[in-house]
Amino acid sequence: MEKILDIITAKMQQAFVDAGYDASFGRVTVSNRPDLCEYQCNGALSAAKTYKCAPIQIAKAVVEKLDEGDYSLVEAVMPGFINLKLSDSFLQNYLEAMRTAPDFGVEKVGAGKTIVVDYGGPNVAKPLHIGHLRSAIIGEAMKRLHKFMGYNAIGDIHLGDWGLQMGLIITELQERQPDLPYFDPDFEGEYPAEAPFTISELEEIYPAASAKKKEDPDFADRAHTATFELQQGRRGYRAIWEHIMRLSVADMTRIYDNLDVHFESWLGESDADPYIPAMVQDLKDRGLAVQSEGAWVVPVAEETDKKEIPPMILVKSDGSAIYATTDLATMVQRMQDFKPDKMLYLTDKRQALHFEQVFRAARKSGIVAADTELEHVGFGTMNGKDGKPFKTREGGVMRLERLIAEMTDFVRAKVVENQIVSPDEVEETTAKIALAALKYGDLSNQPTKDYVFDMDRFAAFEGNTGPYILYTIVRVKSIIAKYGQYKHLSIQAPANQYAKDLMLAITKFGPALESALKSSAPNLICAYIYELAGAVNKFYHETRILGEEDEQKKAGYIALIGLAKDILEACISILGFSAPEKM
Ligand code: ARG
């Protein structure tokens, strides 16, 4: 559906033309004085300079040409503003069209386009910690937003499954269990199907090995060699790698499932490996990669740079590929497999330079087509109340699982204390509220900003929180449950000012999604639903809905709050959570 601003701008432009002025002056904006009007046009002020006459004169002439049926207020005010309020019938017709259109008439701006959203980015064999939370939450929301807007959106987890951590684990395992067949170069039989470790052992092996690397140069050397041999395809090491992958991916899936985060593609750095040799050769052949202190690098500095951008390291002096190499090779693979219109990456903002280098190398080399957009959203840190990165009470790194568990316990206590649902529904209701608290607490902040994780505030049922949004939805659900069917009921003209405010809020759905998409800012969806939920609650408090005696009117109220609820639910589904039945 066409957006309201576009509709009334087109009509305003026609009115300027009909009054003898140029159409370009007819731009309408949302009013910055909501106390006076809903929309405004300031074009007469600039037109006055061109036509050398008083702005108010132009404004008045234009107002004469507007269709009165569209507005309940249309006036020219000094010095030359045109103030507008939409008419009841305009709003009624617009909302009825939204109600009956697929996905509430949102324009599918991504139809026919493909986007790869690279998020999550966990490293296998390392437990997920809160550093991974934002990428999962923001990435999932951005992916779902793109899907809703019509894109073919592919969420790719881009596992860290190829680096030194693998060599470290292999080396440590060899020290502990040297007799395993994986380490015998002459072994030709089948390796055991069961891994020689459990996931919790694995999570202990890695930090132990990582600590050893720092103290023991010989161990570090062996780990480097093991990494290299793994990457060269040494059979026993590949088998260990596969064990690690299987256990680790199963464990991650479980935790991401709890967050309602799902990936279409489970590829990792290792999958980029086959693309590396040809890519490196090509970059060397074309002189794009040059030798520097024994390594091969791609210079990416540009004359206009304000700060120094160092060259991207392609191959280290020992011949190994690094993080940037796999990212560039992954682009080769993605261009080949999907030819996406966009690749969107979500990581901590400390990786900004890395992506700047990789993007430039991709452009310079033509690995990524000129019409494929590249964007990195670098997000801020989740801090504790002390303003430092969030830690456990004991001061350690907070595991993602534990954070989810703590939020869940906190919410469960409330659900039980307030006797919100019957005992057998406690877990499901708790899980939904906890997820909303966690995700909305994160998503309502601008991605690039740091924010403070505050369980009390995030889980509060009032204020700008996830549970407040759920509460509003649940409130409407319970009214509708008492009323009965509502999907067939038509929107009516607003019965009072609160109804009109609610209707105006509903019309901003499409524009809100479009802005969130354009600026990769799910926080704009949060701001929108906070406003919409506020309008729903205001209407509810000021209007007797079920008590209304006029059945016809009552049906109109139900249609209106029903539509508001459906839109709220569409929004939270994009944000990645859902509402319980009772709260
Ligand atoms: N595994 C990486 C890390 O832990 C994040 C991966 C992000 N995605 C990417 N394509 N580089 O830092």
Side-chain angles (χ1 to χ4, degrees), residues 118-123 126 129 132 135 156-161 165 269 323 326-327 330 334 345-348 351 354-355:
D118 179 315
Y119 67 106
N123 299 314
K126 297 192 207 175
H129 57 77
H132 297 107
S135 183
D156 187 346
I157 188 166
H158 199 71
L159 290 168
D161 60 358
Q165 85 248 32
E269 294 177 9
Y323 189 43
T326 50
D327 258 325
T330 300
R334 287 177 184 160
Y345 296 80
L346 296 109
T347 74
D348 189 296
Q351 295 200 23
H354 162 77
F355 283 105

Side-chain angles (χ1 to χ4, degrees), residues 224-261:
H224 278 290
T225 309
T227 310
F228 186 74
E229 288 182 354
L230 167 71
Q231 301 191 345
Q232 296 302 307
R234 181 168 160 172
R235 209 175 142 254
Y237 291 2
R238 275 308 288 206
I240 297 178
W241 180 83
E242 272 157 25
H243 286 311
I244 300 174
M245 288 297 283
R246 208 163 342 99
L247 291 183
S248 201
V249 165
D251 195 53
M252 283 171 189
T253 310
R254 187 177 55 80
I255 299 172
Y256 282 124
D257 276 352
N258 281 338
L259 284 173
D260 206 351
V261 166

Side-chain angles (χ1 to χ4, degrees), residues 29-73:
T29 55
V30 173
S31 163
N32 51 22
R33 286 290 303 274
D35 51 323
L36 296 180
C37 58
E38 293 151 6
Y39 295 93
Q40 66 187 57
C41 171
N42 304 343
L45 299 173
S46 1
K49 292 182 197 110
T50 309
Y51 296 98
K52 302 204 182 354
C53 59
I56 189 74
Q57 209 183 313
I58 300 177
K60 281 190 169 149
V62 170
V63 162
E64 287 293 304
K65 303 290 179 191
L66 286 170
D67 180 353
E68 282 187 4
D70 291 337
Y71 306 102
S72 63
L73 169 95

Side-chain angles (χ1 to χ4, degrees), residues 331-381:
M331 290 172 156
V332 174
Q333 171 252 319
R334 287 177 184 160
M335 289 307 292
Q336 218 169 76
D337 292 356
F338 310 115
K339 176 99 181 30
D341 297 273
K342 181 167 181 173
M343 297 185 219
L344 176 65
Y345 296 80
L346 296 109
T347 74
D348 189 296
K349 65 181 166 202
R350 282 170 292 188
Q351 295 200 23
L353 178 61
H354 162 77
F355 283 105
E356 183 65 43
Q357 292 172 310
V358 172
F359 288 179
R360 287 185 182 196
R363 293 280 182 226
K364 247 183 110 172
S365 59
I367 284 176
V368 166
D371 58 354
T372 295
E373 206 186 320
L374 294 171
E375 185 184 349
H376 171 234
V377 174
F379 43 78
T381 313

